[in-house]
């Protein structure tokens, strides 16, 4: 009886949390507690009700999803290799200390491991900080590398829009002391190549520079100590209207209304070389050393982008801020534009699919003597790209094969298992991708149906007569055509019939 | 002063722990505490001494290591695809509950995540339990899939021998209700193909069956309740002599000496079909239903392996037990044999490089109604294979390229950055893998040296005269041969000269 009262109390607690719109994690925890109490109460066997699911914000990839994922990875890796990148890998967790102080306000989203004795560990939050740690640890001052791996954020997942707690990042970075804007321009070229190659529709790459932002904050009258927090507010402009951002600056962050209004004028500016030239003449900005440096480099960047033939897709945009603390120079973000058929006059951005920037100070944070290694890099937002392509495949009803099998080894009569095993072994040893049904005496119809279902193009059929004649009957699934092929020519025949055009 | 005394006391505590050969993690923790205390004491700036390392038992992969790793993965994936496998992926962590009760005594090695509100999570310990969870959750009764991903064990690392806390597993499994031993035989064929393909030297695949082991325990007089723990002891026979295993059985686990001695006789047996036949006639074993079933299937397995032409590398070995709780039928393990030049008379096994077995009950543990899905699978021990190949590459001084770059775009004179950018952009857009130095005016010598260092085979040199003539000078790094190529033929020329034979 006391237990039942406890369950009722717990149920009431859950109800209240839901009513108060408490943190979903908090609610989930209390619900779990409730379920456990109920299970203990209800079951005579004391059998615990097991929830069959993946952790919140994560997902499995089915073979079909993997087929799409591999397509996208291939396009990205091909591009990274085209630009001469090496590849590295790092552990999924780092010493907790390694991640401390790198992510500003977002640090609360880091997954920590339980202290089970030994070192304190956290799951990596991105691939950039592990990369900087790797450079400092190995005293590397010069590298161009890519890294494709999963990262972890205890964020509120929005899985339908491709936002997960476990997700892939595909990073390409150039580290080293080089002449201005040459590696930076290459990063933008890479984004342009990948997004064009994947045919995701029209896109735009916004660029800005942390030095221009800081210079702008200075001339607008933002105190130095508020640069980072005001920058975080500006970063929200892609999700919130200016009025809300302004009231956050003035209300929460204590900025003067005049300073906020001056910022408000700048952040609506976007354009190309013309805007850069205009701002270089701006009486206030041109007096600020940082802003002038940033604008000079921005001009150089646009010259290089013009040589690359991609300046048309690039927009210098003063509202672009990027959340991460470690950026020091150029920053950029690629957004997909809504399709025309959505009946909207001007194309509207539907979300970021790539981003990056320059971070010249991060490696120095790990070096005992603070030696700096300038870096610039780009991260492809693969999960959102997956979501788009998955939806597209489903809408098109395109049939995606999930295996590469070239031939099914089948039999028309019973008692031929041994012959099937012998033949398939020959084919495997010759490098042919082959399957058979794991039945002693499968029906021919079932074997043919399996090919239809999985897209296997050929069937090699063994039968008493064929064995006597030293041939195998090769059937083309699509046309139902059948030919007898001499056993010693079978491998060659299968290769010929399944070679990609 | 009080701080200094505290540091001295801490140093003494560390010394004692080391003397007592305490748990290495415990020692590491106290050492870290000591270092921190020292740092706080020594530094006026209060600067925290940061340890630049990866977590214990983990490592980064450098580009050179990644090149070797990709070679091995390619060989393995090619084999899995040759056998018609699909591919899936699962999250790196699971609900803690999902892993509970699956690993027996090894459960203590599971990494848990910190409780930060929300669900309780653990890092996956292998890929088999997540696979079973995936099947049950999606009600899949029939699949052949591979999964290559990292798994986590808080084990004592022995990194020189390829034993890590974070390591890759490459798993291939066949799930479904099929005729006996056909999928099991295919798993062994796969191990044979991969180990042959990788040319790791001579190997042997040991096989046994949990039913034979259990039958053997029964006829030796082991009480039912002790089957699993005695099985764990037998599993240690590859690392310990029989005398030690025996004294563990009798001393720690309370088995009667007579029963232990009877086991001792069986576990020294190994052989092929002849041994199976002999045991089928064994007056005690042949009376045990489980053992008889297992021996019958073992005979069938050897018949199939003979048809596959691989029975010569397979040894039916009664000492093979495998640690994991979930196996129910055939189990196997592949070991590399020591090379002849090691001056040992009989080849000695130097460690397991693949293992697996049948686990018909695991999926049922996740299904609310306990519905079973029979499974058999193999896991390739890729880390040990990496270690061997890495050592071999280092010994051979083979030069491994870490990029695929076909051509370096260079200039012989100053002020040609823009021309280099234009040319490299053309090459990228045509799919050529090209690099340039990120300098405005690099010296030709440095550009050529870069090619020597990184193995880039061609240099495309732009110069004033070449620009006027509409040509590019193409230099072959190895021969120093130079030819002028018309700009419109450059892509074709590079492709031709760098195509794989």
């Amino acid at each position: 009886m006391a237990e039942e009262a406890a369950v009722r109390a717990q149920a009431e607690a859950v109800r209240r949390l839901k009513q108060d719109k408490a943190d979903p994690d908090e609610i989930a925890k209390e619900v779990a507690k409730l379920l456990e109490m109920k299970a203990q109460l209800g079951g005579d066997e004391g059998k615990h009700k097991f929830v069959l699911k993946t952790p919140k914000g994560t997902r499995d990839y089915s073979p079909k999803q993997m087929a799409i994922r591999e397509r996208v990875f291939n396009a990205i890796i091909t591009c990274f290799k085209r630009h001469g990148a090496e590849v590295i890998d790092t552990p999924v967790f780092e010493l907790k200390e390694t991640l401390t102080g790198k992510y500003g306000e977002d640090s609360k989203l880091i997954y920590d491991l339980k202290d089970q004795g030994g070192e304190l560990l956290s799951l990596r939050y991105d691939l950039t900080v592990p990369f900087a740690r790797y450079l400092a640890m190995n005293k590397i001052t010069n590298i161009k590398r890519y890294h494709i791996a999963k990262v972890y954020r205890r964020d509120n997942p929005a899985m339908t829009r491709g936002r997960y707690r476990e997700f892939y990042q595909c990073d390409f970075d150039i580290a080293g002391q080089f002449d201005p804007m040459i590696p930076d321009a290459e990063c933008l070229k890479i984004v342009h190549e990948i997004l064009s190659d994947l045919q995701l529709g029209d896109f735009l790459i916004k660029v800005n520079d942390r030095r221009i932002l800081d210079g702008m904050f200075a001339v607008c009258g933002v105190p130095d100590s508020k640069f980072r927090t005001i920058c975080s507010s500006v970063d929200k402009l892609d999700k919130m209207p200016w009025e809300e951002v302004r009231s956050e600056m003035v209300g929460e962050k204590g900025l003067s209304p005049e300073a906020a209004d001056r910022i408000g004028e700048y952040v609506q500016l976007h354009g190309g070389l013309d805007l850069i030239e205009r701002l270089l003449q701006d009486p206030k900005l041109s007096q600020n050393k940082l802003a002038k440096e940033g604008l000079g480099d921005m001009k150089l960047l646009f010259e290089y982008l013009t040589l690359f033939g991609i300046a048309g897709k690039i927009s210098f945009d003063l509202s672009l801020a990027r959340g991460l603390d470690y950026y020091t120079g150029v920053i950029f973000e690629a957004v997909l534009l809504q399709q025309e058929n959505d009946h909207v006059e001007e194309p509207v951005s539907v979300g970021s699919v790539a981003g990056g920037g320059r971070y010249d100070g991060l490696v120095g944070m790990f070096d005992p003597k603070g030696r700096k290694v300038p870096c610039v890099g780009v991260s492809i937002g693969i999960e959102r790209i997956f979501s788009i392509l998955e939806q597209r495949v489903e809408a098109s009803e395109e049939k995606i094969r999930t295996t590469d099998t070239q031939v099914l080894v089948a039999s028309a009569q019973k008692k031929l298992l041994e012959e099937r095993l012998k033949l398939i072994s020959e084919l495997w040893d010759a490098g042919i991708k082959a399957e058979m049904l794991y039945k002693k005496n499968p029906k021919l119809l079932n074997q043919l149906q399996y090919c239809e279902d999985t897209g296997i193009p050929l069937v090699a059929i063994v039968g008493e007569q064929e064995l006597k004649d030293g041939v195998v009957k090769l059937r083309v699934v699509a046309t139902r055509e059948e030919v007898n092929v001499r056993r010693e020519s079978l491998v060659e025949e299968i290769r010929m019939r399944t070679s990609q055009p």
Side-chain angles (χ1 to χ4, degrees), chain A:
Chain A
M1 275 308 150
E3 282 94 345
E4 278 180 20
V7 169
R8 274 199 304 273
Q10 179 67 16
E12 173 60 21
V14 168
R15 203 192 53 76
R16 263 201 312 273
L17 281 172
K18 284 184 178 166
Q19 185 182 298
D20 298 350
K21 298 205 170 83
D23 175 46
D25 272 356
E26 178 69 15
I27 296 178
K29 202 171 151 187
E30 297 301 323
V31 168
K33 212 186 276 175
L34 175 62
L35 289 175
E36 193 163 352
M37 288 165 87
K38 275 188 181 166
Q40 278 171 5
L41 194 66
D44 284 320
E45 317 134 280
K47 223 186 175 183
H48 177 62
K49 188 85 180 165
F50 180 74
V51 187
L52 204 56
K53 68 186 282 292
T54 62
K56 181 179 175 187
T58 69
R59 59 165 164 178
D60 296 318
Y61 283 84
S62 70
K64 200 181 264 184
Q65 289 168 320
M66 287 297 281
I68 300 171
R69 183 171 119 177
E70 289 197 342
R71 248 191 232 175
V72 180
F73 278 162
N74 276 342
I76 291 172
I77 292 172
T78 301
C79 176
F80 289 164
K81 289 196 178 209
R82 191 159 59 231
H83 288 259
E86 304 181 281
V87 56
I88 69 161
D89 193 18
T90 66
V92 81
F93 43 61
E94 295 277 346
L95 297 185
K96 187 172 163 57
E97 274 190 304
T98 301
L99 306 190
T100 304
K102 310 297 186 304
Y103 302 108
E105 294 177 8
D106 287 341
S107 295
K108 61 178 185 296
L109 304 180
I110 294 174
Y111 276 99
D112 292 328
L113 267 71
K114 191 170 159 187
D115 184 357
Q116 293 170 291
E119 301 159 336
L120 290 180
L121 307 173
S122 303
L123 297 186
R124 62 183 163 211
Y125 183 86
D126 63 11
L127 303 177
T128 310
V129 168
F131 175 55
R133 193 263 308 143
Y134 174 79
L135 296 188
M137 190 171 134
N138 296 288
K139 299 192 172 46
I140 295 167
T141 55
N142 221 308
I143 193 173
K144 178 165 54 185
R145 80 89 183 80
Y146 71 91
H147 188 187
I148 296 184
K150 288 173 173 176
V151 302
Y152 299 87
R153 300 185 184 179
R154 294 182 64 253
D155 214 338
N156 273 330
M159 314 227 281
T160 47
R161 280 179 289 142
R163 210 166 80 211
Y164 293 86
R165 290 182 157 198
E166 170 185 66
F167 58 97
Y168 266 99
Q169 283 196 336
C170 301
D171 279 22
F172 171 98
D173 293 81
I174 301 171
Q177 186 69 58
F178 300 120
D179 282 323
M181 310 318 281
I182 310 179
D184 313 60
E186 185 167 357
C187 287
L188 292 169
K189 175 81 170 91
I190 282 175
V191 174
H192 191 279
E193 285 178 21
I194 290 173
L195 295 183
S196 305
D197 192 19
L198 289 173
Q199 301 183 314
L200 297 168
D202 205 11
F203 62 88
L204 186 71
I205 308 175
K206 301 178 186 175
V207 294
N208 197 0
D209 192 298
R210 272 284 163 93
R211 292 167 297 173
I212 300 176
L213 279 167
D214 284 352
M216 175 182 94
F217 293 144
V219 305
C220 290
V222 179
D224 282 16
S225 62
K226 289 202 160 72
F227 276 19
R228 283 281 77 80
T229 186
I230 294 302
C231 193
S232 295
S233 298
V234 171
D235 187 41
K236 295 176 185 162
L237 274 172
D238 57 342
K239 285 163 214 143
M240 282 187 197
W242 164 249
E243 276 315 312
E244 278 178 49
V245 171
R246 184 185 181 281
S247 78
E248 180 181 300
M249 288 177 176
V250 176
E252 281 176 47
K253 304 194 168 172
L255 190 67
S256 73
E258 298 74 32
D261 290 337
R262 273 179 234 128
I263 293 173
E265 274 170 42
Y266 281 116
V267 294
Q268 46 183 288
L269 301 177
H270 54 90
L273 261 177
D274 50 329
L275 175 61
I276 301 169
E277 296 287 5
R278 222 173 78 210
L279 290 177
L280 275 168
Q281 307 305 323
D282 181 284
K284 281 178 291 173
L285 266 189
S286 62
Q287 296 309 307
N288 180 284
K289 191 170 162 285
L290 268 182
K292 216 177 142 190
E293 241 181 70
L295 286 165
D297 277 350
M298 191 58 72
K299 192 175 159 189
L300 199 56
L301 179 66
F302 266 83
E303 282 165 18
Y304 295 160
L305 298 175
T306 307
L307 290 168
F308 284 161
I310 61 170
K313 294 270 188 207
I314 319 278
S315 167
F316 170 44
D317 188 325
L318 283 162
S319 74
L320 179 72
R322 308 263 310 146
L324 297 166
D325 261 17
Y326 49 62
Y327 290 119
T328 55
V330 164
I331 48 177
F332 56 87
E333 201 164 283
V335 291
L336 296 182
L337 302 177
Q338 220 154 36
Q339 305 301 313
E340 282 170 26
N341 56 9
D342 290 349
H343 306 290
V344 188
E345 291 216 342
E346 219 184 334
V348 183
S349 84
V350 292
S352 152
V353 287
R358 177 162 284 283
Y359 50 101
D360 288 348
L362 191 58
V363 178
M365 289 175 77
F366 290 107
D367 188 276
K369 295 184 183 159
R371 275 168 300 210
K372 289 191 174 180
V373 177
C375 296
V376 62
V378 48
S379 186
I380 307 294
I382 192 92
E383 302 292 346
R384 202 161 284 177
I385 295 174
F386 284 152
S387 295
I388 294 166
L389 292 181
E390 239 186 288
Q391 282 165 21
R392 196 178 290 175
V393 165
E394 264 171 43
S396 76
E397 289 173 39
E398 181 195 347
K399 220 178 170 184
I400 291 192
R401 279 198 72 183
T402 54
T403 69
D404 297 346
T405 308
Q406 296 164 290
V407 62
L408 185 84
V409 173
S411 55
Q413 297 115 341
K414 289 194 172 184
K415 296 197 183 169
L416 287 169
L417 172 63
E418 302 200 347
E419 292 300 334
R420 279 191 294 141
L421 288 172
K422 250 198 268 182
L423 179 59
I424 200 168
S425 184
E426 284 173 30
L427 294 177
W428 285 331
D429 292 343
I432 299 291
K433 303 184 189 86
E435 288 184 70
M436 57 179 270
L437 296 199
Y438 302 122
K439 294 276 173 193
K440 265 173 113 161
N441 297 307
K443 289 188 184 133
L444 187 59
L445 205 64
N446 291 345
Q447 299 176 84
L448 297 178
Q449 188 59 46
Y450 184 77
C451 293
E452 297 277 359
D453 293 345
T454 60
I456 299 176
L458 298 173
V459 195
I461 305 171
V462 287
E464 302 283 1
Q465 192 56 47
E466 286 85 0
L467 285 169
K468 268 186 216 138
D469 299 346
V471 297
V472 172
K473 185 171 280 167
L474 196 64
R475 178 183 169 116
V476 181
V477 176
T479 61
R480 301 179 182 187
E481 171 205 354
E482 291 186 345
V483 280
N484 280 340
V485 179
R486 295 212 55 78
R487 188 128 174 173
E488 58 271 24
S489 321
L490 182 62
V491 167
E492 202 40 58
E493 185 74 22
I494 293 171
R495 268 197 206 125
M496 198 202 53
R497 285 176 180 266
T498 54
S499 68
Q500 299 297 328

